[in-house]
Amino acid sequence: MKLIEILLIIVAFFIGLEFLIHICSKNRYELKYSSQKRKIEIYPTDKSHPITR
């Protein structure tokens, strides 16, 4: 039972992270993660350079 709870927490974490990345890319924001400080920065993209998709 403990294993199922841990797996559900991990799955919920990655779904939340994926949702955050999706919203940021939709609204033209960039996401930066630095591992040594464990810090996440979200800032607007440079709008002078259009993104080709």
Side-chain angles (χ1 to χ4, degrees):
M1 195 64 168
K2 188 76 169 176
L3 181 64
I4 294 173
E5 291 176 5
I6 292 171
L7 288 175
L8 286 175
I9 290 171
I10 291 171
V11 168
F13 172 76
F14 282 112
I15 288 174
L17 189 62
E18 182 263 333
F19 188 66
L20 177 66
I21 291 171
H22 174 72
I23 289 174
C24 286
S25 66
K26 185 177 178 183
N27 294 326
R28 297 187 61 126
Y29 281 86
E30 289 185 12
L31 185 72
K32 180 180 177 184
Y33 174 74
S34 58
S35 63
Q36 292 176 347
K37 296 180 183 179
R38 294 181 190 244
K39 184 171 136 180
I40 295 176
E41 297 178 17
I42 300 173
Y43 53 91
T45 58
D46 185 17
K47 295 188 179 187
S48 63
H49 296 95
I51 299 173
T52 56
R53 294 185 186 201

